[in-house]
């Protein structure tokens, strides 16, 4: 293996730094919120440590609808400030992660007695465009019945009254987190996955660090710093309760599931946001040779790690699709894969799961633990900015710092994104296709959409492999890249939280599970027993994604 930059081989050095250095801020949670806070803080000159109990993005941050969207439905709840904030963030994120945040047209069909009428939709989408700062060419277009049916012939013409076509962005949420983590590391943050925070340390009645257990080495160690930020998503209350005096809950957990079907089973021409008979709305989103559908919104109790797709969840989504698209007859056995995620919403008494606001909130305990919860994937950067602003204000009052450094995260491009625009991405793909003729156009395009300008490194790895099977060569090269440069330590890390294959290409997981396990055994020095345990753990994830009780 070449010299690792961010791999399991660097873990001893990272742990040594965590033990020996004193930090301005220690972050608990390696999802989108924690990763965003790490990058914002380290680029303002703060010394940053980030700990994730399992793998990066293994919680809510890999279980979303994979959209960077402005929250059209929040207009109905009159949350104009939330729509404005997250709407503007979409265009910023497109600049920061151009290869990961891709323009996507969304069709909103209008039906008789549906959630949106013609006038409300027209005005709402216009307000949406203004609040979200949508470019003129992407601004909403109202459609007649005929135009709506031309956009999506699968819809039920008997109930369609028109439609609206508006701008959204599709993304890979797990890749956003990974590139955020890597970018923060490049700027000096110390980050570690599989590092469980077991206790909060205190001095003089104030939190001053964390006790940590490294799952890989089994080592227990302590990290000290000025402030601890709890960005643990659905586990925020659990971390808060390590803070001895905290007993009340702040979160209301809800579960959302998505299902994946072959594209030919639901061949929608673009993403569709459509009405469900119970008054909710769900998405159908095409992606390569699959279409994914979601989401549900139900109350959840229990450990977020145990959340899984249930048969009643799948039946709900299938019924909704079959009703909205009369010629479609999806059955439960057609579902290829699924995922279940837990939303960490702020508790609001008397409101149903769908009614609770998606606003974020920061709260500080008597002992100084800073916790942040709620919010949306799209708004992570603003959440991070507000959190770091608060840390600097508190730091000023404690240490005499008076000049507050402004956030720089609006201008810092993600690792892997050297592109000016989508045209530059197309040019990069074309160049790689010319330079690496043994690999086909689709393979290269998929890699670029996942890894951006890091694709050439993967292709260089693949080119030197002896196998005649191009798919196998690329997969082996991808495994090596993720081990050497993305802290992959388990099969689940690779198949779920780096590549999304479990959700979007589960056949490749089943076909190549043993081959990838053998490859990782080589790079990570696993014993045969370890390899078999890894295969069993990955098989359990396959069962969770495909077996509905």
């Amino acid at each position: 293996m070449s010299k690792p930059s961010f791999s399991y081989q660097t873990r001893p050095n990272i742990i040594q730094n965590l033990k020996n250095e004193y930090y301005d801020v220690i972050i608990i949670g390696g999802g989108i919120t924690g990763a965003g806070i790490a990058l914002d803080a380290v680029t303002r000159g703060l010394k940053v440590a980030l700990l994730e109990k399992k793998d990066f993005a293994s919680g809510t941050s890999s279980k979303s609808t994979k959209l960077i969207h402005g929250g059209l439905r929040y207009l109905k709840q009159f949350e104009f400030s939330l729509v404005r904030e997250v709407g503007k963030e979409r265009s910023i994120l497109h600049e920061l992660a151009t290869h990961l945040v891709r323009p996507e047209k969304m069709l909103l069909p209008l039906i008789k007695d549906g959630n949106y009428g013609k006038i409300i939709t027209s005005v709402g989408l216009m307000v949406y465009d203004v609040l979200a700062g949508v470019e003129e060419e992407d601004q909403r277009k109202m459609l007649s019945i005929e135009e709506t049916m031309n956009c999506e012939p699968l819809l039920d013409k008997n109930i369609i009254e028109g439609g609206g076509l508006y701008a959204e962005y599709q993304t890979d949420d797990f890749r956003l987190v990974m590139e955020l983590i890597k970018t923060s590391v490049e700027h000096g943050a110390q980050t570690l996955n599989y590092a469980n925070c077991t206790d909060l340390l205190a001095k003089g009645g104030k939190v001053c660090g964390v006790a940590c257990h490294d799952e890989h080495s089994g080592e227990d160690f302590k990290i000290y710093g000025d402030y601890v930020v709890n960005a643990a998503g659905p586990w925020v209350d659990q971390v808060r309760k390590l803070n001895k005096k905290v007993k009340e809950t702040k979160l209301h957990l809800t579960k959302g599931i998505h299902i994946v079907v072959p594209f030919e089973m639901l061949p929608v021409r673009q993403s569709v946001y459509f009405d469900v008979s119970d008054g909710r709305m769900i998405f159908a989103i095409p992606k390569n040779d699959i279409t994914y559908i979601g989401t549900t919104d139900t109350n959840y109790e229990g450990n977020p790690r145990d959340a899984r797709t249930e048969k009643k969840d799948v039946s709900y989504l299938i019924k909704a699709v079959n009703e909205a698209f009369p010629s479609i007859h999806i059955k439960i056995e057609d579902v290829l894969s699924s995922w279940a995620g837990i939303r960490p919403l702020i508790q609001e008494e008397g409101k149903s799961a769908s009614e609770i606001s998606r606003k974020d909130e920061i709260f500080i305990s008597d002992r100084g633990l800073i916790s942040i919860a709620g919010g949306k994937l799209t708004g992570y950067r603003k959440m991070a900015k507000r959190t770091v602003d608060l840390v600097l204000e508190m730091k000023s009052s404690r240490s005499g710092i008076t000049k507050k450094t402004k956030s720089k995260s609006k201008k810092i491009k993600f690792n892997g994104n050297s592109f000016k625009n989508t045209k530059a991405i197309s040019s990069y793909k074309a160049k790689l296709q010319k330079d690496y003729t043994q690999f086909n156009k689709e393979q290269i395009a998929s890699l670029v959409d996942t890894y951006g300008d890091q694709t050439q490194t993967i292709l260089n790895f693949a080119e030197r492999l002896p196998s005649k099977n191009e798919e196998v060569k690329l997969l082996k090269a991808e495994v090596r890249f993720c081990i050497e440069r993305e802290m992959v330590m388990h099969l689940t890390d690779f198949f779920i939280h780096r590549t999304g294959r479990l959700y979007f290409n589960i056949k490749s997981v089943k076909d190549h599970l043993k081959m990838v396990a053998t490859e990782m055994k080589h790079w990570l020095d696993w014993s045969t027993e370890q390899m078999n345990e890894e295969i069993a753990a990955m098989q359990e994830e396959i069962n969770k994604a495909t077996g509905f009780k």
Side-chain angles (χ1 to χ4, degrees):
M1 181 183 286
S2 60
K3 186 178 178 181
S5 53
F6 185 50
S7 82
Y8 82 103
Q9 286 184 283
T10 64
R11 291 181 74 86
N13 294 335
I14 295 171
I15 291 172
Q16 199 63 29
N17 290 335
L18 290 171
K19 290 193 294 187
N20 294 341
E21 301 289 338
Y22 188 84
Y23 293 89
D24 293 306
V25 58
I26 301 165
I27 302 160
I28 302 171
I32 191 73
T33 306
I37 293 168
L39 181 60
D40 191 295
V42 76
T43 52
R44 292 206 224 185
L46 297 179
K47 205 164 190 176
V48 175
L50 179 144
L51 306 170
E52 165 56 45
K53 181 178 182 178
K54 291 298 180 182
D55 190 26
F56 302 119
S58 59
T60 304
S61 294
S62 58
K63 309 296 193 308
S64 75
T65 307
K66 324 293 182 188
L67 290 176
I68 300 295
H69 64 104
L72 176 64
R73 74 185 186 87
Y74 305 132
L75 283 176
K76 289 186 68 179
Q77 299 170 347
F78 303 105
E79 296 192 46
F80 299 114
S81 61
L82 182 61
V83 174
R84 181 187 296 110
E85 180 174 296
V86 297
K88 288 184 176 179
E89 283 300 298
R90 296 181 317 164
S91 57
I92 293 171
L93 286 179
H94 180 57
E95 292 289 325
L96 300 182
T98 311
H99 64 297
L100 290 176
V101 180
R102 300 175 285 273
E104 174 81 16
K105 287 293 184 182
M106 184 73 68
L107 175 65
L108 174 65
L110 305 178
I111 66 170
K112 295 175 183 177
D113 302 319
N115 277 283
Y116 295 91
K118 284 185 180 180
I119 296 175
I120 291 176
T121 300
S122 182
V123 173
L125 288 177
M126 181 177 66
V127 171
Y128 181 77
D129 285 342
V130 172
L131 292 179
V134 177
E135 296 290 334
E136 187 174 348
E137 63 268 23
D138 287 330
Q139 289 183 1
R140 68 95 168 85
K141 180 182 179 184
M142 297 306 297
L143 307 174
S144 66
I145 294 174
E146 185 178 0
E147 288 171 325
T148 303
M149 294 306 299
N150 285 337
C151 265
E152 190 45 73
L154 296 174
L155 291 165
D156 185 356
K157 188 174 182 179
N158 295 320
I159 60 172
I160 293 294
E161 294 187 329
L165 201 61
Y166 66 102
E168 291 288 21
Y169 289 86
Q170 197 175 103
T171 192
D172 295 321
D173 46 10
F174 44 88
R175 290 306 310 174
L176 279 178
V177 175
M178 195 63 241
E179 300 303 357
L180 264 176
I181 291 284
K182 288 160 67 178
T183 308
S184 71
V185 168
E186 286 180 354
H187 284 84
Q190 297 289 325
T191 70
L192 196 65
N193 55 351
Y194 296 100
N196 183 22
C197 171
T198 57
D199 202 2
L200 298 174
L201 308 177
K203 184 177 180 180
K206 294 294 181 182
V207 172
C208 66
V210 300
C212 187
H213 175 77
D214 176 38
E215 185 179 296
H216 180 63
S217 66
E219 183 178 359
D220 293 304
F221 57 95
K222 295 177 180 178
I223 311 170
Y224 291 93
D226 281 341
Y227 300 97
V228 175
V229 173
N230 171 16
W235 295 271
V236 157
D237 276 342
Q238 291 181 27
V239 173
R240 289 174 66 242
K241 287 174 183 179
L242 293 173
N243 196 10
K244 312 304 179 191
K245 294 182 180 179
V246 174
K247 292 182 180 179
E248 84 280 9
T249 59
K250 287 281 189 179
L251 300 189
H252 181 127
L253 303 183
T254 71
K255 185 178 81 170
I257 75 112
H258 295 76
I259 59 173
V260 178
V261 298
F263 177 73
E264 60 264 25
M265 297 298 300
L266 184 58
V268 287
R269 293 184 175 181
Q270 69 279 297
S271 297
V272 185
Y273 185 40
F274 60 94
D275 288 81
V276 182
S277 57
D278 65 1
R280 294 187 68 254
M281 297 192 71
I282 63 176
F283 294 96
I285 301 173
K287 182 180 173 74
N288 300 326
D289 57 355
I290 60 95
T291 301
Y292 65 96
I293 305 149
T295 177
T296 58
D297 201 0
T298 54
N299 293 323
Y300 183 82
E301 295 180 4
N303 189 332
R305 293 273 173 214
D306 297 333
R308 63 182 301 156
T309 305
E310 298 176 64
K311 192 172 184 179
K312 62 182 179 181
D313 301 323
V314 178
S315 298
Y316 172 84
L317 292 179
I318 288 175
K319 181 174 182 286
V321 168
N322 291 344
E323 286 179 352
F325 306 97
S327 63
I328 298 301
H329 305 289
I330 296 172
K331 301 183 290 295
I332 198 163
E333 51 265 33
D334 296 320
V335 177
L336 299 173
S337 186
S338 72
W339 64 90
I342 301 301
R343 306 178 188 90
L345 306 180
I346 307 299
Q347 184 78 263
E348 291 184 69
E349 294 299 327
K351 288 194 175 183
S352 69
S354 295
E355 292 173 329
I356 296 175
S357 170
R358 268 51 175 174
K359 288 181 180 178
D360 60 278
E361 186 176 327
I362 300 173
F363 24 94
I364 307 170
S365 74
D366 292 341
R367 301 205 306 168
L369 175 67
I370 302 167
S371 298
I372 180 165
K376 292 165 53 63
L377 176 71
T378 308
Y380 87 86
R381 198 187 64 82
K382 281 296 187 73
M383 292 167 65
K385 178 182 179 298
R386 284 193 283 271
T387 304
V388 180
D389 282 348
L390 177 63
V391 167
L392 288 176
E393 286 170 12
M394 294 170 68
K395 198 171 177 63
S396 297
S397 64
R398 188 185 294 186
S399 63
I401 298 173
T402 55
K403 186 177 180 180
K404 185 164 66 174
T405 306
K406 291 184 178 180
S407 173
K408 299 181 173 114
S409 64
K410 190 175 180 179
K411 301 293 184 182
I412 298 170
K413 285 203 168 192
F414 283 27
N415 185 79
N417 178 34
S418 59
F419 309 110
K420 289 184 178 179
N421 48 42
T422 52
K423 186 178 179 181
I425 295 175
S426 298
S427 298
Y428 180 68
K429 289 177 179 177
K431 183 181 185 305
L432 293 180
Q433 288 156 18
K434 184 179 179 181
D435 293 345
Y436 299 88
T437 54
Q438 63 180 291
F439 305 113
N440 68 45
K441 180 179 179 181
E442 290 74 22
Q443 289 171 328
I444 288 175
S446 177
L447 285 173
V448 174
D449 288 342
T450 304
Y451 299 98
D453 62 23
Q454 302 164 103
T455 299
Q456 190 164 358
T457 301
I458 297 172
L459 293 173
N460 286 340
F461 288 163
E463 203 173 35
R464 296 195 291 270
L465 292 171
S467 173
K468 292 182 180 180
N469 185 317
E470 307 305 337
E471 183 184 3
V472 168
K473 287 171 73 168
L474 286 174
L475 194 52
K476 285 184 175 183
E478 215 176 332
V479 168
R480 177 182 173 183
F481 178 86
C482 289
I483 288 173
E484 287 190 1
R485 308 189 184 208
E486 297 195 345
M487 198 63 88
V488 158
M489 296 170 61
H490 300 286
L491 284 172
T492 52
D493 301 345
F494 178 75
F495 280 125
I496 306 175
H497 311 126
R498 299 297 179 281
T499 67
R501 274 183 170 85
L502 178 65
Y503 307 144
F504 300 125
N505 191 358
I506 195 168
K507 184 179 184 299
S508 76
V509 180
K510 295 174 179 177
D511 289 348
H512 301 298
L513 178 56
K514 288 186 179 179
M515 183 274 287
V516 171
T518 303
E519 196 71 9
M520 289 182 70
K521 178 179 185 287
H522 165 70
W523 290 116
L524 297 171
D525 300 318
W526 288 343
S527 65
T528 300
E529 183 182 6
Q530 280 178 292
M531 184 180 77
N532 290 335
E533 288 173 356
E534 288 284 336
I535 291 173
M538 189 62 226
Q539 188 60 55
E540 174 58 28
E541 292 299 325
I542 293 172
N543 294 341
K544 282 175 65 177
T546 59
F548 315 124
K549 296 180 179 179

